[in-house]
Amino acid sequence: MLNLVLFGPPGAGKGTQSNLLIEKYNLVHLSTGDILRGEIAAGTALGMKAKTLMDRGDLVPDEVVIGMISSKLDNNSNSNGFIFDGFPRTSAQAEALDNLLDEKGTSISAMLSLKVEDAELIRRLLSRGEKSGRADDQDESIIANRINEYNTKTAPLKEYYSAQNKLSEIKGNGTVEDIAEKLNNMIDTL
Ligand code: B4P
């Protein structure tokens, strides 16, 4: 199985690149952000609880997202592999993911980490916010909180995967196509 963690700060291009990678490598896309927004749209109790946190740019509790990923893994047991987009975001999530994959006799193949400067992240997210109406993309102080959550709780996971020799860093500036080509080249060496 090919199991990739697509990593980076909010607005780095994780969702954008995931959509290209799932086509090329025939993988299942697991975006915790998309799953949570689906819960909100469906008006579930989980979605309502998550909405308050997401609108502020805070992370949703670990047990909620770990439970969501666990059931998606169970529902897609015959796939070629997975792209984990926006997950894991904390050490507890990374450890839980390793355990869940281990139970299925597989593991993470690589973490592909996209690096983009803060000013560009803010520009991209505000621009998406204008079109999508997403509450967490419309206010610079909420975007700053998301970047801060990333720097304090999520960025340290690079060390976690580096210690397993699985970290590859890619510059996330440039056209979507150029970045996709760099990711493809990296994946083809795995
Ligand atoms: P996510 O949905 O994961 O949101 P994101 O990080 O902002 O999106 P992404 O990084 O995929 O967007 P992309 O760059 O593709 O999370 C939202 C919230 O959900 C979190 O704040 C948190 O509250 C909660 N959550 C999710 N997962 C969680 C977890 N595991 N644990 C706890 N809480 C969790 O796109 C951004 C924009 O850039 C787009 O408009 C795109 O078109 C543009 N873009 C992309 N590539 C570009 C390029 N090369 N050049 C120019 N623009 C580009």
Side-chain angles (χ1 to χ4, degrees), residues 5 9-10 15 33 48 54 70-71 73 81 84-85 101-102 145 154 163 170 175 177 185 189:
V5 172
M48 292 305 99
M54 289 169 76
S70 174
S71 67
L73 290 177
F84 297 96
D85 162 10
L101 292 176
D102 192 44
N145 184 39
T154 307
I170 296 111
T175 67
E177 293 74 24
N185 290 341
T189 65

Side-chain angles (χ1 to χ4, degrees), residues 32-56 58 60-61 64-65 68:
T32 39
D34 286 349
I35 302 168
L36 289 165
R37 282 185 288 277
E39 294 282 337
I40 294 171
T44 65
L46 189 160
M48 292 305 99
K49 199 173 145 203
K51 184 177 185 335
T52 315
L53 295 162
M54 289 169 76
D55 284 354
R56 288 203 299 253
D58 291 340
V60 171
V64 173
V65 284
M68 289 182 340

